[in-house]
Amino acid sequence: MTAACEYRPGLEGVPATQSDISYVDGQRGILEYRGIRIDNLANHSTFLESSFLLIWGYLPTQDELDEFEHEIRYHRRLKYRIRDMMKCFPESGHPMDALQACAAALGLFYSRRALDDPAYIRAAVVRLLAKIPTMVAAFQLMRKGNDPIQPRDDLDYSANFLYMLTERIPDNLAAKIFDICLILHAEHTINASTFSAMVTASTLTDPYAVVASAVGTLAGPLHGGASEEVILMLEEIGSVENVRPFVEQCIERKSRIMGFGHRVYKVKDPRATILQELAEQMFEKFGHDDYYDIALELERVVAEKLAHKGIFSNVDFYSGLVYRKLGIPTDLFTPVFAIARVAGWLSHWKEQLEENRIFRPTQIYTGLHDTPYVSIDDRGSSADNQLVAELLMQ
Ligand SMILES: CC(C)(COP(=O)(O)OP(=O)(O)OC[C@H]1O[C@@H](n2cnc3c(N)ncnc32)[C@H](O)[C@@H]1OP(=O)(O)O)[C@@H](O)C(=O)NCCC(=O)NCCS
């Protein structure tokens, strides 16, 4: 029965779960968290309130939100053993690798797997939301040879992260804009890293392993790593005049233009629209960025050349421009994405546990059967063997 199933590379269009966490309409450019439009949340909510909404399924009362924020505020610190472990990481290592290792290491300290205990679930949610930003900021300071700075209990979630990262209390607008960026990146249905989180969750392992596996998946350039690639690409393009030849060359070589295209959206990603507005607010208050002119021209030329294929800017296209203006180094863009997406991963972890069945899809086998075992003395050179293998596979 399974052999007759149609194989769809990348599982495109194949439902992998039933979920009521978020919804995307890729034709109309709509994203909702628990039914609430993303622009509505960006205008009115905060990252922690939206995280509560995603994870517990409803907008909290003031008391519930206060309690949630309070718990997170007081779990931001890292154990000294985790800080000591981080000090041994190579400075040249990518911050996403550092984050993946740190998230996994939390499992060493909080390993009790009481997955049917709501208090355990709550504690894991709080711990991960609270500590991931501290880890990202700590690695940034440590790789510059500095001690990490402690979180400040008088600062809210986003302001505190920027403070721990830059060692300065951020401007209110900058902190607000960063918080909106986190809302925009918090959740996006069954994307690659969320799927990775769900597969790991389905084995009933601990939530730290769930988040660590998702961080590893988010790191790739086809997923969260794209925002970093966008800035490198804008740097490579260098000027507005170079945009058209760059796009033409990409199309000729069939290479990807970073920050464009999406499996689900066939129109401009609604998050890209909001991020572009945020970038403009940042430029207005803190000064222009010449990369924005290149980005605008790039979006125009890509629309001219690739709109017929449904390729438009995605969430990663403008986020890097906002982060640059906030003083966030390019290779921290994906860890910042992870800070936000922890909310989505945890929502799906919790949902997965509610009706769990281990993921175990099938495959369509394309190899040989009954192949003879050839003793090592009778095998030809590797080149001969490769040729034989290729012939047999035809
Ligand atoms: C996001 C992404 C991985 C989705 O991939 P996908 O759904 O598997 O899309 P496909 O690879 O099937 O691409 C469909 C067509 O669009 C083209 N295409 C897709 N994204 C493109 C891009 N960024 N630049 C140029 N062409 C692109 C493909 O070449 C393909 O063309 P073809 O049909 O003529 O061969 C892909 O668009 C991409 O690589 N984008 C760049 C990386 C990025 O920004 N990622 C962040 C996503 S939020």
Side-chain angles (χ1 to χ4, degrees):
M1 186 199 84
T2 45
C5 290
E6 185 196 350
Y7 165 54
R8 310 192 73 166
L11 297 181
E12 181 171 3
V14 179
T17 191
Q18 298 193 98
S19 175
D20 57 13
I21 299 170
S22 65
Y23 170 79
V24 173
D25 181 333
Q27 300 299 331
R28 294 193 295 151
I30 292 172
L31 168 61
E32 293 169 343
Y33 295 170
R34 302 283 186 185
I36 304 178
R37 294 264 186 120
I38 192 66
D39 46 331
N40 220 343
L41 290 168
N43 283 333
H44 303 294
S45 189
T46 61
F47 172 64
L48 286 186
E49 185 188 61
S50 295
S51 300
F52 188 108
L53 168 73
L54 286 166
I55 296 166
W56 276 283
Y58 63 95
L59 284 171
T61 62
Q62 189 63 56
D63 285 350
E64 285 171 322
L65 182 60
D66 290 346
E67 193 187 344
F68 188 51
E69 286 179 349
H70 177 85
E71 283 176 68
I72 288 174
R73 202 176 287 261
Y74 291 101
H75 281 90
R76 288 167 173 171
R77 282 166 183 73
L78 299 179
K79 286 191 182 288
Y80 80 86
R81 285 174 193 274
I82 291 197
R83 293 202 304 271
D84 284 358
M85 176 189 84
M86 294 177 78
K87 283 183 187 153
C88 300
F89 291 170
E91 289 137 32
S92 56
H94 196 284
M96 277 302 268
D97 295 329
L99 182 60
Q100 189 181 19
C102 291
L106 285 179
L108 290 163
F109 295 94
Y110 311 101
S111 66
R112 196 172 71 94
R113 275 182 210 147
L115 298 177
D116 48 3
D117 176 358
Y120 174 85
I121 304 274
R122 171 95 178 191
V125 163
V126 165
R127 212 173 267 138
L128 279 156
L129 279 167
K131 293 188 193 304
I132 294 274
T134 314
M135 290 167 168
V136 173
F139 183 67
Q140 170 61 12
L141 293 198
M142 284 183 192
R143 68 177 172 166
K144 291 196 296 186
N146 300 330
D147 273 326
I149 46 177
Q150 292 294 337
R152 274 197 34 180
D153 293 341
D154 59 328
L155 295 177
D156 68 17
Y157 193 82
S158 289
N160 175 60
F161 171 70
L162 293 174
Y163 162 74
M164 290 190 299
L165 190 69
T166 60
E167 305 178 72
R168 284 192 314 274
I169 295 187
D171 170 89
N172 285 341
L173 179 73
K176 178 67 195 153
I177 284 181
F178 182 72
D179 200 66
I180 299 173
C181 291
L182 295 185
I183 297 176
L184 298 176
H185 286 83
E187 159 64 6
H188 208 242
T189 73
I190 310 302
N191 53 85
S193 59
T194 300
F195 188 45
S196 181
M198 287 164 55
V199 172
T200 309
S202 80
T203 69
L204 301 185
T205 186
D206 67 68
Y208 311 105
V210 169
V211 168
S213 70
V215 170
T217 309
L218 184 70
L222 296 188
H223 191 7
S227 59
E228 185 177 334
E229 300 288 331
V230 167
I231 294 299
L232 300 176
M233 174 184 72
L234 295 176
E235 197 172 276
E236 183 194 331
I237 296 173
S239 71
V240 172
E241 298 71 54
N242 292 343
V243 166
R244 185 170 289 274
F246 174 83
V247 173
E248 285 168 352
Q249 200 179 61
C250 287
I251 293 173
E252 198 185 303
R253 293 184 183 165
K254 294 193 180 306
S255 57
R256 298 293 160 112
I257 304 163
M258 287 294 144
F260 288 89
H262 199 277
R263 175 65 60 78
V264 185
Y265 292 116
K266 299 305 163 202
V267 294
K268 184 167 177 169
D269 186 327
R271 298 166 300 172
T273 307
I274 302 171
L275 281 159
Q276 183 172 5
E277 286 164 18
L278 296 179
E280 286 176 358
Q281 283 182 41
M282 289 293 293
F283 303 146
E284 204 171 297
K285 174 135 192 201
F286 303 107
H288 188 69
D289 182 343
D290 291 345
Y291 280 17
Y292 185 52
D293 303 328
I294 303 175
L296 283 179
E297 177 66 358
L298 187 58
E299 190 169 25
R300 206 181 60 73
V301 178
V302 170
E304 189 189 301
K305 304 267 180 196
L306 293 171
H308 67 282
K309 285 193 186 180
I311 294 171
F312 295 93
S313 55
N314 61 44
V315 67
D316 293 312
F317 191 58
Y318 287 110
S319 57
L321 288 169
V322 178
Y323 297 153
R324 245 165 82 88
K325 219 50 207 173
L326 287 166
I328 299 174
T330 310
D331 63 358
L332 285 194
F333 294 174
T334 321
V336 164
F337 190 159
I339 290 175
R341 191 52 63 85
V342 167
W345 296 330
L346 291 171
S347 312
H348 287 270
W349 166 61
K350 205 168 148 284
E351 188 175 71
Q352 182 66 33
L353 294 180
E354 279 157 17
E355 220 165 305
N356 188 52
R357 190 163 187 219
I358 190 167
F359 277 96
R360 198 348 179 154
T362 189
Q363 62 166 15
I364 294 169
Y365 179 63
T366 60
L368 305 170
H369 292 288
D370 294 330
T371 313
Y373 177 81
V374 180
S375 90
I376 198 156
D377 298 333
D378 297 333
R379 294 173 207 165
S381 67
S382 358
D384 290 347
N385 286 339
Q386 210 165 332
L387 193 66
V388 172
E390 276 165 20
L391 286 171
L392 284 169
M393 295 295 285
Q394 281 170 10

